[in-house]
Amino acid sequence: MFATTALAALFFVPASSEMGFLLAACALLTMTGSIDDRYDLHYQLRLGVQALSACLMIWGANTSLLSFGDIFGFGDIKLGFLSIPITIVAVIGMINAFNMIDGIDGLSGGLSLITVTALYFLIGDRIADGASNILLLMIGALTAYLIMNLHIFPKWTPKIFMGDAGSMVLGFTITAFLIRYSQGIKEIMMPVTGLWLVAVPLMDIFVTCIRRIRHGRSPFHPDRTHVHHIFMKAGLSRRNTLLVILAFHSIAVTIGVVLETTIHSDYISFIFFAVLFFAYLEFIKHSFKASKWIKRTFRKTR
């Protein structure tokens, strides 16, 4: 996915130093992820590389979080001297969010495709820096990947996997787009809209890490407590689990896009997202009963 998108970008995206730094960061993550898939690198080394990629984005591509917007209704929340550390933490967090949720076929790729499609809808031709072309290339690469990952045409295509190399690059690229086009002179959407566009990976990593810390484990210690594991433990098949999570993410993204394009209020959008987040927490709290209800619903629709 990285190789084809990067190669095509050389022909269809205007050349710039900012694009060069972003491609360099993606190449670094792809290489690190590939080595990690083979040799299982220590998480501290992965975090270091992710932080370096964030720095390439901040100083090379001039992309960083400057403000959270007017999410509390008291005025724009400027980050000031906290801009750089918060940006690095945000990039690392979202890279690992897309990496950690990549637990069943099609999940990380499907979530990414929904988010990238929404970004293309929001950006369109409003920015003349080739961003829409990059998003189209990503949509094409993700669609091709999902066809083979889900083995839709088993007679004609091999089954391939994304691995850390793919999921980390997707998390980084999506985060770079969300930050770049919600801040400063290139702002075309509210910062809070970015939360809607990565709703499922964001909420999953937050809840999973908090649960691990409460049980005295490292937040980077792998286990089977992600949202897709919960559904499968309740008896849903992998296919149905994938459909439920992608449907939920599609609804969340759609709500975010509608709030962005109609109301365009940071405060109202943030309130709605907070409601969604607390509803998600309640679902996780009663996840076994909720997933059982979903399983019965799937049986009735057959």
Side-chain angles (χ1 to χ4, degrees), residues 107-120 142 146 197 245-251 253-254:
L107 185 51
S108 187
L111 294 171
S112 299
L113 180 59
I114 293 168
T115 298
V116 171
T117 302
L119 274 169
Y120 179 77
L142 283 166
L146 287 171
L197 298 190
I245 297 176
L246 292 185
F248 176 76
H249 189 60
S250 298
I251 293 171
V253 168
T254 301

Side-chain angles (χ1 to χ4, degrees), residues 60-88:
N62 194 28
T63 300
S64 60
L65 282 166
L66 304 174
S67 163
F68 285 153
D70 185 20
I71 57 175
F72 296 122
F74 302 120
D76 202 14
I77 301 178
K78 302 291 186 180
L79 298 182
F81 68 94
L82 294 176
S83 171
I84 291 176
I86 290 178
T87 302
I88 293 175

Side-chain angles (χ1 to χ4, degrees), residues 36-298:
D36 183 45
D37 288 329
R38 178 65 179 85
Y39 297 106
D40 193 20
L41 299 176
H42 194 278
Y43 76 88
Q44 291 180 347
L45 178 58
R46 296 199 306 270
L47 290 178
V49 172
Q50 292 165 10
L52 178 58
S53 299
C55 291
L56 289 173
M57 183 193 78
I58 294 170
W59 285 291
N62 194 28
T63 300
S64 60
L65 282 166
L66 304 174
S67 163
F68 285 153
D70 185 20
I71 57 175
F72 296 122
F74 302 120
D76 202 14
I77 301 178
K78 302 291 186 180
L79 298 182
F81 68 94
L82 294 176
S83 171
I84 291 176
I86 290 178
T87 302
I88 293 175
V89 170
V91 171
I92 292 175
M94 290 315 303
I95 288 175
N96 285 285
F98 279 88
N99 183 28
M100 289 181 179
I101 205 168
D102 188 27
I104 59 176
D105 289 347
L107 185 51
S108 187
L111 294 171
S112 299
L113 180 59
I114 293 168
T115 298
V116 171
T117 302
L119 274 169
Y120 179 77
F121 174 80
L122 289 172
I123 293 175
D125 57 358
R126 297 169 63 184
I127 298 293
D129 61 0
S132 59
N133 289 342
I134 297 176
L135 292 171
L136 278 177
L137 293 172
M138 290 181 65
I139 290 171
L142 283 166
T143 301
Y145 162 76
L146 287 171
I147 289 174
M148 289 186 279
N149 178 245
L150 296 175
H151 225 196
I152 295 175
F153 304 110
K155 292 184 179 180
W156 297 287
T157 61
K159 186 175 179 65
I160 63 174
F161 299 93
M162 184 182 296
D164 290 349
S167 59
M168 288 202 302
V169 170
L170 286 175
F172 172 80
T173 306
I174 289 171
T175 306
F177 267 92
L178 293 177
I179 294 175
R180 186 174 180 82
Y181 297 106
S182 67
Q183 307 289 318
I185 60 174
K186 289 185 177 291
E187 180 180 347
I188 61 173
M189 61 182 176
M190 301 177 295
V192 68
T193 301
L195 300 180
W196 288 99
L197 298 190
V198 292
V200 168
L202 176 64
M203 293 188 293
D204 179 72
I205 191 174
F206 180 84
V207 173
T208 300
C209 288
I210 292 299
R211 183 189 296 114
R212 290 172 181 174
I213 293 173
R214 287 180 59 187
H215 286 84
R217 298 194 300 267
S218 166
F220 299 99
H221 179 75
D223 57 22
R224 298 180 64 82
T225 60
H226 293 282
V227 62
H228 50 278
H229 293 133
I230 293 172
F231 281 124
M232 290 188 290
K233 285 179 181 178
L236 265 69
S237 66
R238 286 176 175 264
R239 182 178 67 88
N240 288 342
T241 296
L242 176 66
L243 291 175
V244 169
I245 297 176
L246 292 185
F248 176 76
H249 189 60
S250 298
I251 293 171
V253 168
T254 301
I255 294 173
V257 171
V258 169
L259 291 172
E260 169 67 38
T261 55
T262 56
I263 301 177
H264 200 73
S265 167
D266 302 75
Y267 177 58
I268 294 176
S269 183
F270 184 71
I271 289 177
F272 275 100
F273 185 81
V275 171
L276 176 72
F277 185 78
F278 284 113
Y280 181 83
L281 290 179
E282 284 299 308
F283 167 79
I284 295 298
K285 183 178 179 181
H286 305 285
S287 57
F288 192 78
K289 292 181 180 179
S291 52
K292 284 291 187 181
W293 176 82
I294 293 174
K295 183 180 179 181
R296 290 195 299 269
T297 303
F298 265 94

